Structure formats: C-alpha cells, structure tokens
Amino acid sequence: MRGTIVVDTERCKGCNLCVVACPLKIIRLSQRQVNRKGYPFAEQLAPGMCTGCTSCAIVCPDGCISVYRTR
Amino acid sequence: MTTNQEIIKPENLVYRKPRLLNDTPMHYCPGCGHSVVHKLIAEVIDEMGMQEDAIGISPVGCAVFAYSYIDIDWIEAAHGRAPAIACAAKRLNPGKLVFTYQGDGDLAGIGAAEAIHSLNRGDNIVIIYVNNAIYGMTGGQMAPTTLMGMKTSTCPYGRQASLHGYPLKVTEMAAMMEGTCYVTRQAVSRVAYIRKAKQALRKAFEYSMQGKGSSIVEFVSTCSSGWKMSPEAANQWMEDNMFPYYKLGDLKDKQN
Ligand SMILES: Cc1ncc(C[n+]2csc(CCOP(=O)(O)OP(=O)(O)O)c2C)c(N)n1
Ligand code: SF4
Ligand code: SF4
Ligand code: SF4
Ligand SMILES: [Mg+2]
C-alpha cells in the first residue's frame, strides 16, 4: 500500500497533533517557514514511506490534511 | 516506484476535510477539541444526507461561531439557553434534525436548568456537550466541571470541596432521566476515540429522528490555552486526569 498526504499549509495551525498521530513518524512541523498566520505547518518527510493510513488526517482538528492511497 | 504525482488523483482520495465544513478558518486555538467535534458533526450530517434538514443551536462560549463553519441552518442562543431554543425548533419542525452544541460552562453552569428539563422532557433533540472543565472563552475561569485540585484563574490554588463543591457529572444525571434514550461520553484525542465518537454521534442523531427521546453526547475535551499546555500535553493531561472522573462509554442506550 502506498499513500501520500497533501497539507493545506495556510489552514494549518501547527498544533503538532498529526506529528504525534503518525505511526511512522514521517510528519514534522516546518523548521524555517511559517504560513501567513505565522504558524509553522505540517510537512511530510520520507513521502515514499506513507501508507495512507489517514491517522494524521483524522486527528487534524482543522481538516488540513487530504490523504491519497493506492494498492 | 510510484511517485507522489501518480498517487494524487481523485480516485485515490481516502480522506479530506468534510464537505459540510466550509473554508472559513475556524477561530479555535491550535489543537482545540472543538474543531475535531465540528469535523465529526459535519461528516455525520453529510453521511446521513441531512444537510438541508439539520438545525444546530450554537452556544455562548468558544463555540459561539459554530454557525460560521458548518453549512447547515443554525440559531444562536443566549448563554445556556440552547436546549430551550432546540425544544421549540423541534416542536415546530418535527422532521428536522435538531441539536445543541454547548460547552460545560454554558450547559452545566448558567444553562443547567434548561439542559436538565429538556433531557427530562425527552425533547427528541441531541445535546452535544463539550466538557473541557473550564470557561475557555472568557480566560480560563473555574467551571462546575473543574476537577478537584485543578488550577484555574479563579481557583489559583486548585479547586477545593470546602470552597467550591464538587465537579458536576451532568451526563450521569441525564442517564437517570426517563426522557433520555441515549447517553454517552466520548473523546477525540486519538484515532480510535474519534472513530467511536463518530458512531455515537450518528446513533444519537438517528434516535432523535426516530422520536425516541433526548440524547446527550458528552465529549471530554481540552483547552490548551486555559490549561496553559501544548495541545499534545493537554490531550495527555485529559487522559490522565479527566478520564478517571469522567469515564468514557455509553451510560444508557434505549434500543427499543
Ligand atoms: C449571560 C452571560 N453571562 C456570562 C457571559 C460570559 N461568558 C461567555 S462564555 C462563558 C463561559 C464559556 O465556557 P464554556 O461553556 O465551558 O465554553 P468553552 O469556551 O470552554 O468552550 C461565560 C461565562 C455571557 N456571555 N453571558
Ligand atoms: S497517512 Fe498515515 S503514514 Fe501517511 S503521513 Fe498520515 S499518519 Fe503518517
Ligand atoms: S494536525 Fe492539522 S493543524 Fe495541526 S499541525 Fe497537523 S496539519 Fe497542522
Ligand atoms: S480557549 Fe480553549 S476551548 Fe477556546 S478555542 Fe482555545 S483551546 Fe479551545
Ligand atoms: Mg468549557
């Protein structure tokens, strides 16, 4: 199973809950950039590893994450 | 190997922001439980095909602007009075799905009488009760639900029984009332809890449409700003301190 996420970085509030929820620990908050509201935003590391499990997106309070998955 | 561009196609989409949650940025603090509960409401109403037939009653409290975020009909109530408005809305429109959305200050404090009498009357509405044990909106004052020993801006040394009494368990009270059909306590801090909570919300909405009586779905929640913690630490604090007192699960389910 291969997956990937697309983050609405302008909607993201940098709460870090997706980072905590990802079982593979492949999300982090941006280190040097912030969005227009001043929040660091979620970005996916090692995109090749994502399984598209949707955990990050389900816990994201603001609905910023879309998840895609192929077999 | 498949590249990301090959994966990102409409037919591979498995999760996105609920359709009924519009693009208006929610004003809630980062990581606030209110936002997750909003997502679930939007998902469940959409899955039930009730967008045109749902009426929400929003509270006074942080969720006062709920009507700006979920694309259904809403009425904004005075502080604590949402169940009275919901009762009227449901009686005038029995075919509509009517629910209130209330915080613990709104419901267990100033609006305790409205909530109790609506539950007891069996109004065929759903009360969505977001309990973060504090008055979030006004700056983190003690609520009726504040835990023993918990510090807030109005009990800086912690809640004490001799001075403040005990945290009120509205949901346990609701379970004892003849008018209620479904009484449950849920949380939204983890994927597994969120999945369960969504099913609970759907059941409550369905029971109200079947005319079984009133339901209350309590969400034990967080207030990272009022509690002065990161969202992650607030979720952990909630699980460690709120769950033992406000136990998760169904308290009552009148299936027939
Ligand atoms: C009649 C009246 N009294 C007091 C207030 C001030 N007030 C606004 S919100 C609130 C409490 C909100 O707490 P809660 O319902 O727990 O919501 P939260 O913000 O924690 O989600 C109070 C006391 C008011 N707006 N109207
Ligand atoms: S979909 Fe699953 S594996 Fe992929 S980033 Fe989100 S939580 Fe991690
Ligand atoms: S959970 Fe959502 S809002 Fe929070 S950091 Fe992740 S993408 Fe941003
Ligand atoms: S003050 Fe508390 S309840 Fe209100 S939005 Fe912020 S975290 Fe949520
Ligand atoms: Mg509150």
Side-chain angles (χ1 to χ4, degrees):
Chain A
M1 213 101 90
R2 281 272 284 116
T4 195
I5 63 170
V6 176
V7 181
D8 183 342
T9 53
E10 283 306 320
R11 204 175 156 90
C12 175
K13 295 175 182 165
C15 72
N16 208 49
L17 294 180
C18 56
V19 175
V20 176
C22 175
L24 301 175
K25 300 290 169 234
I26 52 171
I27 308 177
R28 70 165 183 192
L29 294 186
S30 58
Q31 311 281 298
R32 288 167 181 278
Q33 275 177 293
V34 292
N35 63 19
R36 260 175 288 170
K37 292 203 189 71
Y39 291 121
F41 48 83
E43 50 187 31
Q44 193 177 43
L45 309 163
M49 282 171 68
C50 175
T51 57
C53 72
T54 71
S55 297
C56 55
I58 289 172
V59 301
C60 173
D62 288 89
C64 311
I65 303 180
S66 299
V67 184
Y68 295 85
R69 185 167 62 212
T70 57
R71 299 216 140 257
Chain B
M1 205 178 102
T2 35
T3 64
N4 273 357
Q5 268 52 51
E6 288 167 300
I7 303 174
I8 302 172
K9 289 182 185 153
E11 63 269 29
N12 294 334
L13 183 69
V14 286
Y15 188 97
R16 55 150 293 179
K17 179 166 76 63
R19 194 178 65 92
L20 298 191
L21 195 69
N22 62 34
D23 289 334
T24 309
M26 293 191 279
H27 70 283
Y28 302 111
C29 306
C32 180
H34 277 303
S35 308
V36 187
V37 178
H38 281 33
K39 275 204 323 187
L40 292 186
I41 295 170
E43 278 178 10
V44 172
I45 292 176
D46 198 18
E47 285 167 20
M48 289 173 73
M50 297 291 284
Q51 179 180 16
E52 298 299 325
D53 294 299
I55 304 174
I57 320 292
S58 61
V60 169
C62 278
V64 62
F65 297 134
Y67 52 74
S68 299
Y69 309 132
I70 304 174
D71 282 338
I72 55 170
D73 288 331
W74 287 91
I75 304 170
E76 163 58 29
H79 204 8
R81 312 306 179 223
I85 307 280
C87 169
K90 184 71 179 183
R91 278 162 202 240
L92 292 168
N93 306 277
K96 300 282 182 185
L97 169 65
V98 181
F99 68 92
T100 71
Y101 186 106
Q102 302 178 258
D104 49 309
D106 188 81
L107 186 146
I110 192 168
E114 278 77 4
I116 286 168
H117 287 292
S118 176
L119 289 162
N120 194 48
R121 280 194 302 267
D123 278 338
N124 294 321
I125 62 158
V126 177
I127 291 181
I128 296 172
Y129 170 38
V130 180
N131 176 9
N132 54 14
I134 205 161
Y135 289 2
M137 184 199 206
T138 43
Q141 293 86 356
M142 187 181 71
T145 45
T146 297
L147 295 177
M148 298 313 299
M150 181 176 167
K151 291 181 177 143
T152 71
S153 60
T154 48
C155 53
Y157 304 108
R159 183 179 187 150
Q160 301 168 41
S162 58
L163 206 54
H164 312 112
Y166 299 89
L168 193 62
K169 292 182 173 177
V170 177
T171 302
E172 273 74 2
M173 289 161 65
M176 297 189 312
M177 291 174 187
E178 295 293 334
T180 55
C181 58
Y182 184 48
V183 176
T184 187
R185 191 181 279 122
Q186 304 288 331
V188 291
S189 52
R190 293 173 189 264
V191 174
Y193 296 147
I194 295 171
R195 289 216 166 97
K196 261 197 187 154
K198 185 173 166 182
Q199 286 172 0
L201 199 57
R202 174 141 191 168
K203 183 186 278 193
F205 283 165
E206 282 172 353
Y207 279 13
S208 80
M209 294 315 291
Q210 291 160 11
K212 288 185 171 187
S214 299
S215 295
I216 181 165
V217 182
E218 175 177 347
F219 290 92
V220 183
S221 191
T222 58
C223 177
S224 57
S225 296
W227 297 0
K228 306 191 190 330
M229 294 176 196
S230 69
E232 189 185 338
N235 275 343
Q236 191 62 50
W237 192 91
M238 172 186 73
E239 293 184 5
D240 294 344
N241 297 279
M242 303 259 293
F243 286 7
Y245 192 78
Y246 299 114
K247 292 197 173 62
L248 301 191
D250 290 353
L251 285 82
K252 179 176 185 179
D253 185 354
K254 260 195 211 169
Q255 285 175 355
N256 306 300

